[in-house]
Amino acid sequence: MEKIIVHGGNRLKGEVRVSGAKNAALPLLFATLLGSGRHQLENVPDLRDIGTAEKLLTILGAEVTRDEGVFAVDATRIQSVEAPYDLVRTMRASVLVLGPLLARLGHARVSLPGGCAIGARPINLHLKGFEAMGARIDLDHGYVEARAKRLQGANIYFDFPTVGGTENLLMAACLARGTTVLENAACEPEIVDLAAALTAMGARIEGAGTDRIIIEGVDDLQPLRHTVMPDRIEAGTFMVAAAMTRGDVRLLGARQADLEALVSKLQEAGAEISIEDHVLRVQGPRRIAPVDIKTGPHPGFPTDMQAQFMALMSIADGTSVITENVFENRFMHVCELQRLGADIAIDGKMAKINGVKGLLGAPVMATDLRASACLVLAGLSAENTTTVSRIYHLDRGYERIEDKFRALGARIERVKA
């Protein structure tokens, strides 16, 4: 076990390169199952979840090699259609092999992912969509077993714009017979990135990035060649860090178009944000203004930035309210922020934050991926030393985060627990 020790108080300044997006790389890796041949993905981040995806692809029979962020996947000979519980329980995104396996091989057996620390995230919308496309779905001893000689195009309406459901059915529809229409689809930039890669493979897709995606099925797909988009959540985390430390940080590779909701709220809080030579620059304010946010599906404020923004609001000059509309149990970081001196009260899906003059370092424990980042940010602005335990959560979604912060002037280190 490892932990991160942060000695707070340093102003962050300098440049940092944004890594490839985990939430884009995972479905892209699983999209390689849709076709034979040698696929290549570039700008893949070195993360714990990526390692899990590599293990799963290997178990299924794919040959995977990696070198400096470049993944080569040969999925010509798939020998298994089962995603076992031991892997799926560690990474919910493993369920995204269901669509590609079912579409290409006509059979998939995938462990139910169950709940997680930030709330239940059922896959019922995925399964309803596959049934609409002609698949027979059986639930057996904690596994989803899906079969179809060939999926058929269908009109599918999502009760909620599910990102995973949109990705799973989008991939499957590429090899279905006829036309599939996904209504009330998720609009996240990672879905646009996936659609662009699939289109380059020969898929026929219209409307990605809107709530209505139309897919005309084809008989086969060519090998994938794609560069993963930059991680907007990692970029957002460093933007908040700059604001919290009154810093001046330039983000190389960040795309402002993917960050509009966060940019707007940071500017409302007093940060200066500009584009200089295609580089996103964030300058923190002397006094942080209180800002209310409500999380929601893209283009709303991302739930994956809620915890980090709460850390910022904990030292704002006034009272703010954060409403979490996506996950029902995503305030577990509040207790840990309170250990650092934050004044936060929870009422259902709302958190009221009374800003304090400053946080004080203390031992804290991460409860999930984004909560981990929230506590590191709080430690960067706090007096004295903050020790963050259970950082294996952090390694699921941030590539060498302590090295990047240290390059910006932070006093931060990873040590054995």
Side-chain angles (χ1 to χ4, degrees):
M1 298 291 287
E2 295 178 317
K3 57 186 178 183
I4 281 181
I5 298 176
V6 187
H7 306 283
N10 281 20
R11 178 173 177 260
L12 299 186
K13 186 175 182 180
E15 293 183 346
V16 62
R17 180 165 294 280
V18 178
S19 298
K22 181 199 80 160
N23 290 339
L26 290 173
L28 285 165
L29 283 168
F30 296 139
T32 63
L33 297 169
L34 287 166
S36 60
R38 185 179 174 85
H39 306 271
Q40 182 169 303
L41 267 178
E42 298 182 2
N43 199 34
V44 180
D46 185 12
L47 303 171
R48 186 169 178 165
D49 277 7
I50 297 298
T52 301
E54 180 182 1
K55 289 179 184 177
L56 180 52
L57 288 171
T58 302
I59 286 173
L60 295 174
E63 297 179 7
V64 185
T65 59
R66 66 156 96 182
D67 180 31
E68 297 292 329
V70 178
F71 268 65
V73 182
D74 190 334
T76 301
R77 298 179 181 178
I78 299 302
Q79 300 170 341
S80 173
V81 294
E82 180 171 317
Y85 171 73
D86 284 347
L87 284 180
V88 178
R89 70 180 176 85
T90 65
M91 186 184 72
R92 290 184 52 85
S94 302
V95 76
L96 294 179
V97 302
L98 182 58
L101 289 174
L102 180 60
R104 181 180 166 195
L105 302 176
H107 184 200
R109 177 177 164 83
V110 179
S111 171
L112 285 167
C116 69
I118 59 172
R121 291 187 278 177
I123 62 168
N124 59 306
L125 298 183
H126 304 226
L127 303 185
K128 285 174 61 177
F130 289 127
E131 286 181 324
M133 298 175 74
R136 188 177 79 247
I137 305 293
D138 295 305
L139 301 180
D140 178 39
H141 294 89
Y143 279 78
V144 174
E145 187 135 14
R147 294 180 183 271
K149 288 186 177 179
R150 184 176 181 183
L151 294 173
Q152 306 295 316
N155 282 12
I156 298 167
Y157 178 84
F158 294 114
D159 294 333
F160 181 84
T162 162
V163 175
T166 300
E167 291 169 340
N168 226 343
L169 290 161
L170 171 61
M171 289 188 283
C174 291
L175 293 179
R177 181 182 288 115
T179 302
T180 299
V181 180
L182 305 180
E183 302 275 9
N184 199 29
C187 304
E188 271 67 8
E190 293 80 9
I191 291 172
V192 178
D193 202 46
L194 174 61
L198 293 170
T199 300
M201 294 173 71
R204 299 172 183 172
I205 302 169
E206 296 180 3
T210 75
D211 62 0
R212 189 172 192 264
I213 304 176
I214 303 172
I215 309 103
E216 183 69 35
V218 298
D219 291 332
D220 53 58
L221 295 170
Q222 302 303 310
L224 181 154
R225 298 283 187 276
H226 190 72
T227 300
V228 179
M229 64 175 282
D231 195 320
R232 62 193 175 102
I233 305 302
E234 183 193 67
T237 299
F238 281 97
M239 292 169 72
V240 172
M244 288 190 72
T245 62
R246 299 178 176 85
D248 185 352
V249 174
R250 290 162 54 87
L251 295 165
L252 308 180
R255 302 195 312 206
Q256 184 171 347
D258 298 338
L259 295 159
E260 291 295 350
L262 176 62
V263 167
S264 176
K265 290 299 182 180
L266 283 175
Q267 288 174 329
E268 194 176 335
E272 293 184 22
I273 300 175
S274 58
I275 299 291
E276 300 177 358
D277 298 325
H278 306 290
V279 175
L280 188 65
R281 182 182 183 186
V282 183
Q283 296 170 278
R286 284 190 169 276
R287 299 179 68 180
I288 299 166
V291 178
D292 295 343
I293 65 166
K294 296 180 180 180
T295 66
H298 191 79
F301 193 94
T303 181
D304 280 355
M305 283 302 305
Q306 178 256 106
Q308 300 93 308
F309 202 84
M310 184 180 290
L312 174 66
M313 290 297 97
S314 71
I315 55 172
D317 189 16
T319 299
S320 57
V321 175
I322 292 178
T323 306
E324 175 55 62
N325 289 318
V326 178
F327 294 122
E328 73 276 10
N329 193 28
R330 205 166 196 174
F331 284 148
M332 288 191 296
H333 50 277
V334 168
C335 292
E336 302 303 304
L337 285 174
Q338 289 171 333
R339 287 178 53 79
L340 299 173
D343 182 358
I344 305 170
I346 300 174
D347 183 8
K349 65 179 183 178
M350 293 189 300
K352 181 180 178 181
I353 306 104
N354 297 311
V356 297
K357 289 185 177 180
L359 300 174
L360 298 174
V364 291
M365 183 175 65
T367 54
D368 62 71
L369 169 55
R370 305 308 172 184
S372 306
C374 153
L375 297 175
V376 171
L377 298 189
L380 290 172
S381 71
E383 291 184 24
N384 301 322
T385 301
T386 299
T387 302
V388 184
S389 300
R390 295 178 68 183
I391 61 168
Y392 57 85
H393 290 295
L394 194 68
D395 293 334
R396 290 186 49 231
Y398 291 93
E399 185 176 36
R400 300 186 301 275
I401 193 170
E402 70 275 13
D403 293 343
K404 292 186 176 184
F405 275 129
R406 199 158 43 239
L408 295 173
R411 292 184 295 162
I412 179 173
E413 58 184 328
R414 179 186 293 248
V415 300
K416 294 291 184 181

